């Protein structure tokens, strides 16, 4: 993966913020511009590759609490590896709603963890990367992101 210079990271962050302020009607409704900028630059300090920068930007944009303002990382950044199933939040947890034929006997099962991470740990890790508009949108985004092992 291509290495990024400190200057290129700064330029990317500056351009992101410029475009955000130009296009978004009120990006700093839930977080001040100063706090957003400070956290974005602090978290990007020492970033050396596009994947790490992308994750920093995802986490920073989630502070805006706007489900329409996010960074979707491409397969070139995260890779194409995905788990072979889909979860949905139903009632009191995440349930397997789609899978490959190999895993079809588990359809309807409640998710309790993935790869030695319990569901609470998965939620806390993924919540940092998605907009937190309300509980329903959080559960929707979480159920779609927990199947991306690179995150």
């Amino acid at each position: 993966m291509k290495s990024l210079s400190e200057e290129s990271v700064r330029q990317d962050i500056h351009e992101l913020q410029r475009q955000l302020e130009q296009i978004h009607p009120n990006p700093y409704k839930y977080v001040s511009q100063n706090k957003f900028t400070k956290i974005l630059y602090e978290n990007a300090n020492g970033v050396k590759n596009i994947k790490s920068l992308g994750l920093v930007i995802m986490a920073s944009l989630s502070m805006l609490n706007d489900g329409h303002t996010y960074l979707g990382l491409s397969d070139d950044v995260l890779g194409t590896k995905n788990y072979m199933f889909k979860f949905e939040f139903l009632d009191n947890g995440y349930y397997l709603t789609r899978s490959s034929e190999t895993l079809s006997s588990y359809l309807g099962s409640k998710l309790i963890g993935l790869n030695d991470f319990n569901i609470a740990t998965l939620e806390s890790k993924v919540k940092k990367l998605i907009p937190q508009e309300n509980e329903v949108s959080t559960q929707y985004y979480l159920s779609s992101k927990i199947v991306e092992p690179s995150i």
Side-chain angles (χ1 to χ4, degrees), residues 47-58:
V47 164
K48 298 292 183 203
N49 62 60
I50 193 74
K51 178 180 176 181
S52 297
L53 179 59
L55 292 172
V56 165
I57 291 171
M58 285 175 77

Side-chain angles (χ1 to χ4, degrees), residues 10-28 33 36 40-41 57 61 64 68-71:
R10 274 194 300 276
Q11 288 174 352
D12 286 350
I13 289 173
H14 175 76
E15 183 62 17
L16 168 75
Q17 201 158 7
R18 188 183 75 73
Q19 290 289 327
L20 178 67
E21 292 168 4
Q22 182 178 343
I23 295 169
H24 197 290
N26 189 6
Y28 306 115
Q33 180 181 5
F36 178 81
L40 181 57
Y41 276 95
I57 291 171
L61 290 175
L64 301 179
H68 299 101
T69 306
Y70 62 92
L71 176 64

